[in-house]
Amino acid sequence: MLEEVERWLATRSWSVADRPLHRILAAKQRTGQSVSVVLPALNEEETVGDIVAVVRHDLMQQVPLVDEIVVVDSGSTDQTSEVAASAGARVVHRDDILPRIPAVPGKGEVLWRSLLVTGGDIVCFIDADLKEFSSDFVSGIVGPLLTDPGVDLVKAMYDRPLGSEEVGAEGARQKGAAGRRAGQGGRVTELMARPLLNMHWPQLAGFVQPLGGEYAARRSLLEQLPFPVGYGVELGMLVDALHLVGLDALAQVDVGVRKHRHQDGQALGRMAAAIYRTAQLRLARGHLIRPSLTQFERGEDGFEPRTYSVDTEERPPMAEIAEYAARRVA
């Protein structure tokens, strides 16, 4: 590990306990900064309401840390929007934001568009599929941005247990099987993102959860970054932020344990391919001869190929969008 990274780990990696809530609130009052919480959501009716309710109760009603909580629905077919609204979120549909630019599927697309419908000086992104959610996820990553003007982006770090339902029936029957797999939840991180970062951007090797969906950043940084529209958004944002503001402006905070719905192996393969493509574009800005991924599923006549495009579309920095600039002038 680079000496620079070792120093960074000692000075820019914190625990949620390092900044008590009263200190964070005092900094918010002193600086006058506002905080927006954004949940990108697609068919998350089982979990989104609880997350919204916890944020509202702990960080809006009990203490005035969060100024708004917005759920951006990216085309749910279940009751995600209704559940989120009932819990107290402002719900905005992806296709209603910047309609002159047709929306495409993808998490990064939703995050990019959310900048147009939020007003916070600090924007905090939280995945909508978290279980047993704690408001520490929000206060922990927002805290350094309020207390330290030299920090521009903060990622959450945590343990990611891989539940017994993900390891097969035999593993589930073995006492303590899930416990022994407590650190095995970030499979794409360990097999794709971490090797890429260590080989090509070793300054970012200290991030425990580089692909984690819980992070906060200053709007002044986010509006300058391009957003990959799909799974590559977290890696792309981290790499681009490093080049734009430098390593010392990036940080991470330990918030404990993250429990969420796991995806199957083929979905993880598509995620890994998109992340690799995002990295490749940043390394060379070139073109793959064949930017696609073929996977196999057993059908009636044996294994059948399924091919998916992994060419990664990106949205330009929001600061270049006329509607965003006009909103800021108004």
Side-chain angles (χ1 to χ4, degrees):
M1 182 177 291
L2 297 176
E3 289 186 11
E4 180 182 7
V5 177
E6 292 181 351
R7 178 191 55 76
W8 178 85
L9 282 168
T11 60
R12 285 291 187 265
S13 293
W14 298 296
S15 165
V16 67
D18 291 336
R19 288 175 177 79
L21 195 53
H22 68 84
R23 180 183 166 197
I24 298 172
L25 290 168
K28 183 177 191 290
Q29 184 176 18
R30 183 177 65 254
T31 61
Q33 297 177 89
S34 55
V35 176
S36 298
V37 172
V38 172
L39 277 69
L42 177 63
N43 295 330
E44 303 294 356
E45 64 180 6
E46 294 183 3
T47 50
V48 68
D50 289 341
I51 298 172
V52 171
V54 168
V55 173
R56 279 190 56 81
H57 176 269
D58 292 1
L59 303 179
M60 298 180 79
Q61 296 169 347
Q62 295 284 77
V63 298
L65 179 63
V66 172
D67 297 280
E68 63 175 348
I69 179 166
V70 178
V71 171
V72 183
D73 191 327
S74 59
S76 297
T77 56
D78 64 1
Q79 300 299 305
T80 290
S81 291
E82 292 81 359
V83 170
S86 295
R90 175 162 60 94
V91 178
V92 184
H93 292 272
R94 176 199 62 196
D95 295 350
D96 294 334
I97 306 170
L98 200 61
R100 75 171 176 86
I101 300 178
V104 297
K107 179 183 178 183
E109 177 83 352
V110 175
L111 300 184
W112 181 72
R113 289 175 186 265
S114 75
L115 297 181
L116 263 168
V117 293
T118 54
D121 301 303
I122 294 169
V123 182
C124 175
F125 298 120
I126 301 291
D127 281 350
D129 66 343
L130 301 191
K131 304 173 182 178
E132 301 178 27
F133 178 77
S134 166
S135 59
D136 285 348
F137 274 76
V138 174
S139 59
I141 57 179
V142 166
L145 294 164
L146 290 169
T147 61
D148 190 335
V151 173
D152 287 328
L153 183 149
V154 182
K155 299 273 299 188
M157 57 177 168
Y158 33 67
D159 291 317
R160 294 183 63 184
L162 186 62
S164 59
E165 71 276 9
E166 300 295 330
V167 302
E170 181 62 30
R173 285 193 293 270
Q174 297 176 4
K175 184 177 180 180
R180 289 196 297 273
R181 297 172 183 265
Q184 296 186 15
R187 291 165 287 175
V188 176
T189 293
E190 299 303 331
L191 296 175
M192 176 59 70
R194 200 176 308 286
L196 280 173
L197 293 176
N198 275 265
M199 287 186 290
H200 299 296
W201 297 281
Q203 287 177 294
L204 298 174
F207 276 94
V208 175
Q209 297 291 352
L211 300 185
E214 291 69 46
Y215 48 99
R218 300 190 191 280
R219 178 176 294 272
S220 57
L221 170 63
L222 292 172
E223 65 188 14
Q224 297 181 68
L225 298 177
F227 276 60
V229 300
Y231 288 127
V233 63
E234 274 84 24
L235 183 133
M237 187 178 297
L238 206 55
V239 170
D240 293 340
L242 173 68
H243 289 296
L244 193 62
V245 296
L247 182 60
D248 282 342
L250 313 180
Q252 60 185 351
V253 173
D254 187 350
V255 296
V257 178
R258 181 189 197 267
K259 297 181 180 180
H260 66 116
R261 170 177 46 80
H262 293 284
Q263 301 194 54
D264 63 35
Q266 290 204 335
L268 295 179
R270 296 190 292 275
M271 184 184 300
I275 289 165
Y276 177 78
R277 175 61 171 163
T278 299
Q280 185 194 49
L281 287 172
R282 277 152 180 77
L283 286 168
R285 296 293 171 181
H287 297 283
L288 284 173
I289 296 175
R290 186 170 177 265
S292 61
L293 172 73
T294 299
Q295 298 176 318
F296 294 88
E297 297 178 4
R298 185 180 289 279
E300 294 181 0
D301 300 320
F303 285 102
E304 300 175 353
R306 301 283 188 273
T307 300
Y308 302 88
S309 172
V310 295
D311 204 6
T312 304
E313 183 175 353
E314 297 195 7
R315 296 303 190 189
M318 186 57 78
E320 298 177 6
I321 300 298
E323 289 88 338
Y324 186 78
R327 190 195 72 159
R328 296 192 68 186
V329 170

